[in-house]
Amino acid sequence: MKQPNYYMKNIECASRDEIETIQSRGLVTTVKRAYENSEYYRRKMDDKGIKPEDIKGIEDLHKLPFTCKDDLRQAYPYGLLCKPLSECVRIHSTSGTTGKRVIAFYTQHDLDAWESCCARAIAAAGGTKDDIVQISYGYGLFTGGMGIHGGSQKLGSLTLPMSSGSTDRQIQFMQDLGTTFLCCTPSYAAFIAETVTEKNLLSTIKLRAGIFGGEAWTDEMRHDIENKLNIKAYDIYGLTELDGPGVAYECETQHGMHICEDQFIAEIIDPNTGEVLPYGRKGELVFTSVSKEAFPMIRYRTRDICVLYNDKCPCGRTHIRMAKPMGRSDDMLIIKGVNVFPSQIETVLLENGYSSNYQLIVDRVKTTDTLDINVEMTPEMFSDTLGDITAREKALVNALKGFLGIYANIHLVSPHSIVRSEGKAVRVIDKRKLY
């Protein structure tokens, strides 16, 4: 393995004692700040009989109540704010597709810490001040663009604030300026890769790596993007509620994402009971921020299902790693009593030679759930006879049934017939009236 690249080696490679000391000190400060400045947090702690003086370090973390997205909506807009507005310099927000938007506030200290995490992510992927980083995440209220932008500048890289969309222009800038790093959502990276392939432009670009996050994606999708763009594709994790991208990131070993433990404490819990689970067990990911001033999250339930690892990483970083999320407990589809994640379906499609352009339509006919999946064919498949296409549909039905244990209606559709996304892809349309 080549020599690892670091942005803050003293922090990224700190001893466990040093990391836990930072976390304990930060937790005590955060809990005190939240209790004294947020009536909402104070009420939650009082309801559980907890006072700030009860929290002396990370060993007391389990005493604190969980926070969830419902709390953020109920406290909207200022209920969880722990600094005066006069000390806040920016907000970011979620899309607000269900209920009220979630607004996160940042002091300058918060922005500096967040951007440093993003700089670590770019460095861990091999980025240096000599790289040209093209940021094709959306800018504005979405955290993606601004976070990676700040990290790229902290690292000293030439930063191209492209935002998403205008794919021909994206590729032109790659060609003209010699972009070496691409940062965007995986679905948009797949769209760019598809365009580059179709126009036979791979030899005209100099990309060597990509950092993709903001939505779930499979290893099969990763390999497809890597092959089409001739790059190494790295995963990055983040939530608006915590910071944005950079909460965790892959190093060159690509065996899980290192969590910035000097900024966040991670737990895995049983999503049904709230019991804290040991390393290596699958459950719901929970984060507590230990350095954020304006909008600290205490035991925030992300709803992401994954595993935490604490074994030694060859890259030398000592911060624990999280596996790629296997789905979300709140986005999980329950179809005929079976738990189904879109990422599982994507794995089957890619393993069988299909693209990552698909859409799930879930409905209920009388009392029975139905699952229809529209899957784009490749141009080569589209030239098949009707009989060949029917045979392909039947084979895919059997493959999905063998993997998921449920029947799906497969509809192979023409190339480019499913609407592309320049941000997060819309994979699921659930027409059931479940509430």
Side-chain angles (χ1 to χ4, degrees):
M1 189 179 78
K2 65 179 182 180
Q3 186 68 24
N5 194 36
Y6 307 105
Y7 175 67
M8 303 176 73
K9 185 175 182 180
N10 62 321
I11 292 294
E12 295 171 64
C13 300
S15 70
R16 289 310 306 172
D17 284 346
E18 290 172 316
I19 292 169
E20 290 176 6
T21 297
I22 292 170
Q23 289 181 330
S24 288
R25 186 166 58 239
L27 179 64
V28 170
T29 300
T30 296
V31 170
K32 186 173 186 294
R33 180 186 297 121
Y35 190 87
E36 292 177 351
N37 294 282
S38 165
E39 183 181 345
Y40 196 93
Y41 267 132
R42 184 162 56 250
R43 185 168 63 249
K44 281 180 70 75
M45 286 189 246
D46 285 345
D47 287 346
K48 201 167 182 182
I50 298 294
K51 300 295 182 186
E53 52 268 28
D54 298 325
I55 307 302
K56 296 178 172 59
I58 56 175
E59 66 277 7
D60 297 319
L61 180 63
H62 68 281
K63 298 177 183 178
L64 292 163
F66 291 111
T67 308
C68 64
K69 186 161 284 190
D70 234 24
D71 291 307
L72 275 68
R73 293 192 182 109
Q74 290 179 29
Y76 175 93
Y78 298 125
L80 295 176
L81 185 62
C82 294
K83 279 286 187 178
L85 274 179
S86 60
E87 295 185 35
C88 297
V89 297
R90 193 193 296 171
I91 69 162
H92 281 286
S93 174
T94 60
S95 59
T97 52
T98 56
K100 292 179 179 176
R101 287 179 176 270
V102 169
I103 292 180
F105 298 83
Y106 301 76
T107 63
Q108 188 58 54
H109 165 274
D110 297 336
L111 292 179
D112 288 339
W114 174 26
E115 291 172 356
S116 292
C117 291
C118 290
R120 295 183 209 180
I122 299 171
T128 71
K129 64 181 179 62
D130 297 319
D131 278 291
I132 299 172
V133 180
Q134 186 159 321
I135 301 169
S136 303
Y137 285 107
Y139 278 68
L141 289 173
F142 177 57
T143 56
M146 298 290 282
I148 299 294
H149 180 114
S152 175
Q153 290 191 168
K154 276 190 179 294
L155 192 61
S157 306
L158 179 61
T159 305
L160 309 185
M162 297 294 295
S163 193
S164 59
S166 304
T167 303
D168 288 341
R169 185 180 65 178
Q170 299 270 2
I171 295 171
Q172 182 184 341
F173 267 76
M174 290 180 194
Q175 295 169 314
D176 295 347
L177 297 178
T179 301
T180 54
F181 266 70
L182 174 65
C183 304
C184 60
T185 59
S187 54
Y188 192 40
F191 183 34
I192 291 174
E194 183 180 55
T195 305
V196 167
T197 300
E198 288 179 353
K199 295 186 176 183
N200 196 28
L201 297 174
L202 183 58
S203 63
T204 69
I205 60 176
K206 298 180 179 180
L207 288 178
R208 66 183 183 87
I211 298 177
F212 308 127
E215 60 188 9
W217 56 312
T218 60
D219 281 332
E220 290 77 13
M221 187 175 183
R222 183 211 297 267
H223 299 323
D224 188 55
I225 293 169
E226 287 181 329
N227 290 335
K228 286 179 178 175
L229 291 178
N230 193 27
I231 63 172
K232 193 167 183 180
Y234 293 85
D235 209 347
I236 191 169
Y237 178 88
L239 295 168
T240 299
E241 297 90 327
L242 297 172
D243 257 350
V247 172
Y249 55 87
E250 282 187 322
C251 64
E252 60 268 27
T253 68
Q254 294 184 310
H255 184 57
M257 290 174 276
H258 288 279
I259 294 168
C260 292
E261 288 194 276
D262 55 312
Q263 306 293 322
F264 305 98
I265 303 172
E267 302 172 90
I268 290 289
I269 65 167
D270 182 312
N272 298 312
T273 67
E275 174 195 0
V276 178
L277 302 177
Y279 292 118
R281 288 276 301 278
K282 181 173 72 173
E284 181 182 343
L285 184 60
V286 173
F287 276 111
T288 299
S289 51
V290 294
S291 74
K292 289 193 73 175
E293 295 179 337
F295 199 71
M297 286 287 97
I298 296 175
R299 300 198 81 193
Y300 181 71
R301 297 186 60 162
T302 67
R303 300 297 180 184
D304 283 324
I305 302 297
C306 75
V307 177
L308 294 180
Y309 303 106
N310 66 340
D311 56 310
K312 186 177 180 180
C313 183
C315 77
R317 291 175 179 83
T318 51
H319 296 212
I320 62 171
R321 286 163 289 135
M322 58 176 279
K324 180 187 289 290
M326 303 163 193
R328 288 175 59 84
S329 60
D330 54 353
D331 287 348
M332 178 181 68
L333 296 166
I334 302 177
I335 303 172
K336 298 180 182 178
V338 178
N339 295 344
V340 177
F341 292 107
S343 58
Q344 295 174 310
I345 293 171
E346 183 176 292
T347 295
V348 175
L349 296 181
L350 289 167
E351 285 181 347
N352 283 271
Y354 295 89
S355 75
S356 56
N357 299 308
Y358 65 94
Q359 197 161 59
L360 316 181
I361 298 100
V362 188
D363 207 344
R364 179 163 290 171
V365 179
K366 294 183 180 179
T367 59
T368 303
D369 291 336
T370 62
L371 173 60
D372 287 75
I373 308 177
N374 294 329
V375 182
E376 277 191 11
M377 290 181 280
T378 64
E380 296 76 22
M381 294 175 186
F382 190 53
S383 63
D384 289 348
T385 65
L386 182 60
D388 290 335
I389 291 173
T390 301
R392 284 183 178 279
E393 288 177 335
K394 185 175 180 180
L396 201 46
V397 166
N398 292 333
L400 283 164
K401 192 170 189 302
F403 190 78
L404 298 174
I406 62 172
Y407 175 84
N409 299 303
I410 299 296
H411 309 282
L412 294 180
V413 299
S414 61
H416 305 292
S417 58
I418 296 175
V419 176
R420 298 299 193 272
S421 171
E422 294 169 344
K424 294 187 180 183
V426 178
R427 298 293 193 203
V428 180
I429 299 173
D430 195 338
K431 297 181 178 180
R432 296 174 295 177
K433 306 296 182 185
L434 300 178
Y435 301 103

